[in-house]
Amino acid sequence: MTTSTLPAYLTSHESAASDEFLQLIDGQLVSGARAADIVDPATGQVFATAPVADADQVNAAVAAAARAYPAWRDLTMDERGAYLSRIADAIEAHAEFIARLVTREQGKPIAQSREDVDSALMWTRYFASWRPQRKVVRDDDEAFVEIVRRPLGVVAAIIPWNFPFFQCLYKLAPALLTGNTVVLKPAPTTPLDAMFLGKLLEPILPAGVVNIVGDDGQTGPLLTSHPDVAKVSFTGSTTTGKAVMSSAAGTVKRVTLELGGNDAAIVLPDADVQAAAAGIFSGAFANSGQVCINIKRVFVHSSLYDQFCDEFARLADSTVVGPGLDEHVQVGPVQNARQFEALRRVLDRAREEGEIIAGGSVEDSAGYFVRPTVVRHIADDSPVVREETFGPIRPVLTYDDLDEVITRANGTEYGLGASVWGRDLERAASVAARLEAGSTWVNQHIALSPDVPFGGRKQSGIGSEFGEEGLATYTDVQVINVRRS
């Protein structure tokens, strides 16, 4: 589908017809029990409506997934992988449509939305071709012992609003490959790409294998507490993750929680300032700073502090901010009005407690635009530093002693990611090893791939996504133990 043939609501600010977006329940595309307005964050205006499920529809979706589970489970992994390949082919055929739809509802620049779709394709094709190695732990005259992985049943996949399409696929693909069926719930403010995915899946998958239900804030608890849901895969805030964990406890559901982060970047005295500033800027402000694993605290050695701050501020001031469908835009709006108002309060706090050297303002427009903002000379105990700021506002702090800065970097309830920047790679890697985070990088950040596990420590989550470890979270262990003598 070329840009010239895309619907008007993907190329202009005209509204979309409400019947273009439907839920997928038991192999049928259906309307919701009610509808919700979807706002374009670049304009602050409603541009589409989306279906919302009620309790009866949620129950119907779970029941359909439960009915579909035995037959899906009993397929071979090659057969399930072939279905995933067909899904990837369908996505690839509509890649530009999906990317522009993501930009309209999420706000990110179109180049980043295209990257999200490309990542969804990469992850889906990777899992489509993945096959487990047989794990025999004993094979002798006395016994044969094998560890096998069995699917769980119905998986509830709960998707956040910052990477709505990519995260649909990186949860669906491993869940389906390992033999589970799925009820997928997109975020209330970014449901359209998931509903379009349902249109693609409807002619490909057997009825009930994947169900997609809409939400206006009430659907999640119905899924996380449902007795017929065997696992919840949730990505979102730590606060909501705690509620999910509590809700799942009643039936001892398996849970994977990928939660908030307050990632630190440490710039060592031997770092290349320009290269480090550019890399950290990308890792800090990607998706308007709305990534759980964005760099959110920057610690720079005092010998480089002024030089780094100048370069970091220059990068912020030169960034093109605007509507994501503009091909020249580098930072789009924040996703929703609630987040926008929260960031206004963060800006006020930053002015009071630090020195703003770039940005510091919201754009004078109807959309939710916040200039990339850099704050220096601010204390570690400021909420701007201590709390997760989900938006384009970043503090730069200074240090002299390496052991001290490692303690400061680790002094948070979060433990998602961290990075170290310096020329001496062995030394930088040794520092990275001391940071309390699920992923620690050297001279890069947000370096993810489908074969490498990704998860958090402390209150940044439980379990892993991606890789063999991520696949394992969609299964239970079964030990087959045969006595031979």
Side-chain angles (χ1 to χ4, degrees), residues 144-162:
F144 172 84
V145 182
E146 182 178 12
I147 299 174
V148 295
R149 290 279 180 176
R150 300 301 188 200
L152 300 168
V154 178
V155 171
I158 300 178
I159 313 300
W161 49 254
N162 55 344

Side-chain angles (χ1 to χ4, degrees), residues 84-236:
L84 288 179
S85 293
R86 291 178 61 193
I87 292 169
D89 290 343
I91 291 169
E92 189 168 26
H94 297 84
E96 181 66 13
F97 180 98
I98 296 166
R100 298 182 79 85
L101 185 57
V102 168
T103 290
R104 280 304 303 272
E105 63 178 339
Q106 201 280 334
K108 66 182 61 180
I110 184 62
Q112 293 179 29
S113 292
R114 291 176 182 134
E115 290 172 0
D116 288 357
V117 178
D118 288 345
S119 294
L121 284 168
M122 181 191 304
W123 261 250
T124 304
R125 295 199 188 281
Y126 172 81
F127 287 116
S129 63
W130 186 89
R131 298 295 179 269
Q133 297 296 313
R134 193 175 180 200
K135 294 189 176 180
V136 176
V137 296
R138 184 179 300 173
D139 187 5
D140 55 29
D141 292 341
E142 295 183 357
F144 172 84
V145 182
E146 182 178 12
I147 299 174
V148 295
R149 290 279 180 176
R150 300 301 188 200
L152 300 168
V154 178
V155 171
I158 300 178
I159 313 300
W161 49 254
N162 55 344
F163 290 90
F165 189 75
F166 172 40
Q167 296 204 356
C168 282
L169 273 302
Y170 87 48
K171 293 182 187 292
L172 279 180
L176 295 179
L177 181 71
T178 49
N180 303 281
T181 54
V182 179
V183 179
L184 186 147
K185 186 202 77 65
T189 57
T190 55
L192 303 183
D193 62 275
M195 300 303 164
F196 182 74
L197 177 63
K199 287 186 178 182
L200 300 184
L201 298 182
E202 184 268 331
I204 295 174
L205 292 173
V209 170
V210 173
N211 305 268
I212 301 174
V213 294
D215 182 24
D216 61 0
Q218 309 300 315
T219 306
L222 299 175
L223 286 171
T224 58
S225 63
H226 200 291
D228 294 331
V229 170
K231 172 191 167 73
V232 178
S233 178
F234 170 82
T235 301

Side-chain angles (χ1 to χ4, degrees), residues 207-279:
V209 170
V210 173
N211 305 268
I212 301 174
V213 294
D215 182 24
D216 61 0
Q218 309 300 315
T219 306
L222 299 175
L223 286 171
T224 58
S225 63
H226 200 291
D228 294 331
V229 170
K231 172 191 167 73
V232 178
S233 178
F234 170 82
T235 301
S237 72
T238 295
T239 298
T240 306
K242 292 175 182 178
V244 169
M245 193 173 182
S246 177
S247 180
T251 52
V252 197
K253 290 177 174 59
R254 293 356 181 208
V255 293
T256 299
L257 304 177
E258 196 266 282
L259 307 178
N262 196 3
D263 291 18
I266 296 176
V267 181
L268 298 176
D270 69 339
D272 178 324
V273 170
Q274 284 197 324

